[in-house]
């Protein structure tokens, strides 16, 4: 799947990747939605076009607890943790269910360059225990995919606010490659035969060079720009 996205050169191909990824994870829906500093929007999603049209027509973003909650958050959030108690929110939830959305959801908010805000959401029809198992097992994947999708979309759009990417040292590349492969910090330090404190220096140095907001974002940027290969 990583190869498919890394080779994407158009936003239409990003849309295809989102559709394929939904099938890989056997999800009801997967959505990537981005708004830049000027208000221009782009979305790659699997929702029914009729629901998308209805959502835009009714300006549901102003009452959607997922959008409103994630706009104030930096951490991923399960939809069940959001406040759905207001009458408009409950009505919106019922209409979303009628449109084919699952009863479970998980969203990753992303802050990009110059005020860009993006959101990656997955949802499914299942019970709480099944969903808890899915998100706990896949949270690392979902975080990386979310940042990777955002970086690829920005790259394709030729974001003018994205500065040049600085080269990484061999050790910084090794560190991010192992992180991308799913290794934890203790194992990476052992593999590279360095201390965990030295490893942190490499991670922070790579993050600074890439202009990344966190470690996951740094890995996604390095993958997107071909600096590392998993």
């Amino acid at each position: 799947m990583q190869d498919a996205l890394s080779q994407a050169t158009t936003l239409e191909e990003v849309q295809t990747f989102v559709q394929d990824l939904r099938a890989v994870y056997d999800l009801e829906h997967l959505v990537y939605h981005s708004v830049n500093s000027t208000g221009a929007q782009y979305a790659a999603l699997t929702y029914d076009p009729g629901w998308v049209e209805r959502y835009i027509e009714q300006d549901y973003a102003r009452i959607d607890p997922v959008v409103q909650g994630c706009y104030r958050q930096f951490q991923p959030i399960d939809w069940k943790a959001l406040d759905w108690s207001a009458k408009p929110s409950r009505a919106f939830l019922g209409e979303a269910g009628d449109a084919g959305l699952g009863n479970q959801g998980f969203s990753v908010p992303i802050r990009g360059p110059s005020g860009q805000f993006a959101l990656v959401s997955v949802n499914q029809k299942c019970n709480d225990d099944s969903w808890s198992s899915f998100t706990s097992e896949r949270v690392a994947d979902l975080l990386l995919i979310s940042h990777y999708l955002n970086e690829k979309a920005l790259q394709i759009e030729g974001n003018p606010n994205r500065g040049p990417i600085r080269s990484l040292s061999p050790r910084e590349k090794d560190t991010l490659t192992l992180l991308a492969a799913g290794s934890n910090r203790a194992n990476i330090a052992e593999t590279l035969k360095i201390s965990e404190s030295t490893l942190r220096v490499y991670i922070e140095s790579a993050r600074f060079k890439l202009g990344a907001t966190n470690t996951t974002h740094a890995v996604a940027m390095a993958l997107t720009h071909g600096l590392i290969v998993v």
Side-chain angles (χ1 to χ4, degrees):
M1 292 302 294
Q2 177 195 322
D3 288 343
L5 187 57
S6 64
Q7 294 169 13
T9 58
T10 67
L11 294 177
E12 288 75 17
E13 289 173 329
V14 174
Q15 170 67 36
T16 300
F17 173 81
V18 165
Q19 293 171 328
D20 291 344
L21 194 62
R22 174 182 65 167
V24 168
Y25 284 110
D26 193 24
L27 292 161
E28 203 69 38
H29 289 291
L30 193 150
V31 178
Y32 167 75
H33 182 211
S34 170
V35 182
N36 68 21
S37 57
T38 65
Q41 301 188 41
Y42 165 71
L45 42 77
T46 62
Y47 290 156
D48 181 271
W51 170 242
V52 176
E53 184 178 344
R54 172 73 173 169
Y55 190 99
I56 295 171
E57 179 185 87
Q58 297 297 315
D59 191 21
Y60 277 151
R62 62 187 167 79
I63 64 167
D64 184 347
V66 175
V67 173
Q68 296 302 317
C70 287
Y71 195 72
R72 297 189 292 268
Q73 296 259 357
F74 286 86
Q75 300 299 322
I77 190 165
D78 191 287
W79 291 4
K80 289 286 178 70
L82 296 166
D83 183 6
W84 298 88
S85 61
K87 187 175 180 179
S89 298
R90 293 197 303 273
F92 165 77
L93 183 62
E95 193 171 345
D98 292 341
L101 273 71
N103 61 312
Q104 307 283 358
F106 184 87
S107 294
V108 178
I110 302 167
R111 266 72 181 180
S114 301
Q116 184 233 8
F117 172 72
L119 193 62
V120 173
S121 297
V122 295
N123 73 80
Q124 182 64 292
K125 293 178 181 177
C126 62
N127 60 43
D128 289 353
D129 288 342
S130 296
W131 187 244
S132 178
S133 295
F134 173 84
T135 53
S136 62
E137 291 171 4
R138 297 296 186 183
V139 63
D141 288 354
L142 293 172
L143 282 167
L144 184 55
I145 288 166
S146 298
H147 284 293
Y148 197 19
L149 262 173
N150 192 57
E151 284 301 319
K152 174 54 71 171
L154 289 175
Q155 183 186 54
I156 291 173
E157 289 181 308
N159 190 292
N161 296 312
R162 175 69 75 198
I165 298 297
R166 295 170 59 184
S167 61
L168 301 177
S169 72
R171 266 292 192 248
E172 290 164 351
K173 289 180 181 180
D174 290 342
T175 298
L176 295 186
T177 299
L178 290 168
L179 284 169
S183 297
N184 62 41
R185 297 193 179 202
N187 287 338
I188 294 172
E190 183 178 352
T191 299
L192 298 180
K193 294 181 171 51
I194 57 176
S195 67
E196 289 194 43
S197 60
T198 300
L199 178 66
R200 283 195 295 272
V201 171
Y202 287 133
I203 292 173
E204 287 304 302
S205 175
R207 191 175 68 81
F208 175 77
K209 287 181 178 179
L210 295 169
T213 55
N214 53 43
T215 302
T216 303
H217 188 196
V219 171
M221 290 186 70
L223 284 166
T224 304
H225 291 278
L227 301 177
I228 62 172
V229 176
V230 179

